[in-house]
Amino acid sequence: MTVVRDPDDATATRRLLKAIEQLDAGVLVVRPQPFTQNPGQIALALLSALGKHNIAKLASNQGIRRLAAAWVIGHRPGHIVVDRAHTLGQSVLEDLIATSRASQARLWLVDASSTGALQTRFAPSLVNIATVDTLADLPQPPAPPLQADPRLPEDLPEADFLTFLAVCSRRLPPDDFAAVRTVYRKALSSFLSFGFPRNRNLLPLYEVPDFVETLTLKLASVFYSGESEAVRIVQLRATQAALLRSGLLLHHKRSLALLGHPAHLGCRLTPTAADALRTQTDTTRAAAVLVNVLMPPYNWSRVNWTIASVSDDASALRTDVGPIPVPAHGQPILRAHIAWRRMTGANDSDPLIVHKGIKTEAEIAALQRRLPLHTGHSPYLNSRTAFSGQSTTWMRQRLLTLEHVTAFTPSPWSDVSLLAQS
């Protein structure tokens, strides 16, 4: 904890606080009402600083204090700066200290009094003293994500999966084709080792219980890991080739995609949509919409999301077929919700989303419809009648359908060892 001395209560200090107020850069600036004595009121100030809406309707109680702490933990700021903290009551300051410790943030208390008495309210070993100028160096822009996949040219050749690699080898420079082939072989290997059900009774694979839902989870796991639409297109072509070896034809109506949003295969949660979700005060409501966007409901009934389904840093949803990546701009929502669930006594095996307190599923759907998601403008995108074959909502959003080619597939064609010959 650091006490920042501002004995003149200078206007320049307020300008500085405005300049460093960058939550994405790790700085949360809180401006409580002067002489706040109620810990519930400081919780409302924290929620306001985090950009929450409709907080005036919330009661100042223990639940609101836990809710504010959960959202702070979710956003994981490196620094919490409290303006004019010298006016706050001792119980309020103790709450701020507890919140900063729970979120592993450094607490900065601006003492704008002429006497500098704030530091005397704590043990000397707990307090550092700093000047206002020290605050200017707090914002730290997030480091750019590591590039896991090779960088691919955005203008890949237009070719179906049967001829995709051959066309790329003819039209792309050698270095670009080598990068395409690396991504292709990785995705192909992933699906060749997927473990399709045995067809001893010549049952079409898409009629095997839960198969299409399981395949949807696998597709999301692979496509969400792609760092660009070019990478995802290559992954899709490799996936189509792998599925054909198991007697399945994965159709992709890309011509419809070009009428809507060309970048349609990845996660639909845009940074702008995540910002809109983070204005929600209720973590359950925000997390429910987030999960519905990542994996639309009623198509993965086999999966029961629990708290343990979310990775420790909320970067992925765990499934039996691999992790489903969560975009960085959506991770604070999951972290906040899990923190809230744990504060209310939930364990790893408890459901991730408890719909108690949400009036109707329609309310969640209405909130989701208001978000600026990645989507196409074609009216056929979400229409069941526009697609033949088997699909889920997630697949239809990406213009994918599954057709059965043959009920019998010779086992060697499902052998991962054939990858070396691809």
Side-chain angles (χ1 to χ4, degrees), residues 19-82:
I20 66 171
E21 188 176 14
Q22 304 173 44
L23 190 55
D24 290 339
V27 180
L28 175 65
V29 177
V30 185
R31 300 177 177 85
Q33 294 182 359
F35 305 104
T36 295
Q37 303 295 320
N38 187 339
Q41 291 298 318
I42 199 63
L44 294 178
L46 283 167
L47 290 172
S48 178
L50 290 168
K52 305 304 175 187
H53 290 173
N54 299 322
I55 60 174
K57 299 179 181 179
L58 301 175
S60 299
N61 53 32
Q62 183 65 25
I64 298 306
R65 294 164 66 183
R66 287 194 300 223
L67 188 62
W71 276 112
V72 174
I73 292 172
H75 282 279
R76 295 199 303 194
H79 306 275
I80 300 175
V81 182
V82 184

Side-chain angles (χ1 to χ4, degrees), residues 179-422:
V180 167
R181 186 168 54 185
T182 297
V183 174
Y184 186 96
R185 290 164 73 92
K186 180 180 178 181
L188 183 67
S189 175
S190 178
F191 274 91
L192 287 178
S193 59
F194 177 40
F196 295 100
R198 297 288 184 179
N199 285 333
R200 298 189 184 280
N201 298 322
L202 303 185
L203 182 68
L205 276 177
Y206 59 68
E207 293 182 10
V208 175
D210 297 327
F211 174 72
V212 179
E213 289 80 1
T214 302
L215 177 62
T216 298
L217 292 173
K218 181 64 176 178
L219 291 170
S221 176
V222 172
F223 291 170
Y224 285 4
S225 67
E227 296 168 351
S228 68
E229 190 67 6
V231 169
R232 289 187 284 269
I233 287 293
V234 175
Q235 291 171 332
L236 171 62
R237 297 295 179 245
T239 300
Q240 291 173 298
L243 290 176
L244 186 61
R245 291 181 173 188
S246 294
L248 295 170
L249 181 61
L250 184 64
H251 287 287
H252 177 223
K253 299 189 178 185
R254 195 179 185 193
S255 58
L256 285 180
L258 297 178
L259 297 175
H261 200 297
H264 64 289
L265 291 175
C267 183
R268 301 173 68 221
L269 185 72
T270 64
T272 304
D275 288 343
L277 266 185
R278 290 199 297 263
T279 65
Q280 294 292 315
T281 304
D282 183 6
T283 66
T284 301
R285 191 188 308 273
V289 174
L290 174 63
V291 172
N292 285 0
V293 172
L294 291 173
M295 293 301 303
Y298 312 122
N299 295 297
W300 38 264
S301 56
R302 185 185 68 83
V303 175
N304 295 314
W305 302 113
T306 64
I307 291 176
S309 299
V310 182
S311 63
D312 294 340
D313 60 354
S315 63
L317 295 174
R318 298 185 178 109
T319 74
D320 293 339
V321 297
I324 298 177
V326 178
H329 43 270
Q331 294 171 16
I333 296 170
L334 282 183
R335 286 195 296 265
H337 181 61
I338 290 176
W340 166 258
R341 295 281 287 124
R342 293 194 186 283
M343 290 176 187
T344 54
N347 299 313
D348 284 352
S349 59
D350 290 325
L352 176 63
I353 305 296
V354 177
H355 289 277
K356 181 180 179 180
I358 298 177
K359 293 181 180 179
T360 60
E361 293 291 336
E363 185 177 348
I364 296 297
L367 175 58
Q368 182 172 326
R369 283 194 297 269
R370 294 197 297 269
L371 298 179
L373 303 171
H374 274 318
T375 184
H377 302 295
S378 168
Y380 298 102
L381 247 64
N382 295 310
S383 170
R384 290 180 180 270
T385 60
F387 297 91
S388 61
Q390 298 291 316
S391 64
T392 60
T393 299
W394 187 95
M395 292 173 67
R396 288 194 301 274
Q397 288 171 346
R398 288 151 184 84
L399 305 167
L400 301 172
T401 57
L402 195 66
E403 291 282 358
H404 184 238
V405 178
T406 175
F408 176 72
T409 305
S411 58
W413 291 105
S414 298
D415 192 342
V416 182
S417 65
L418 290 178
L419 177 64
Q421 305 174 26
S422 299

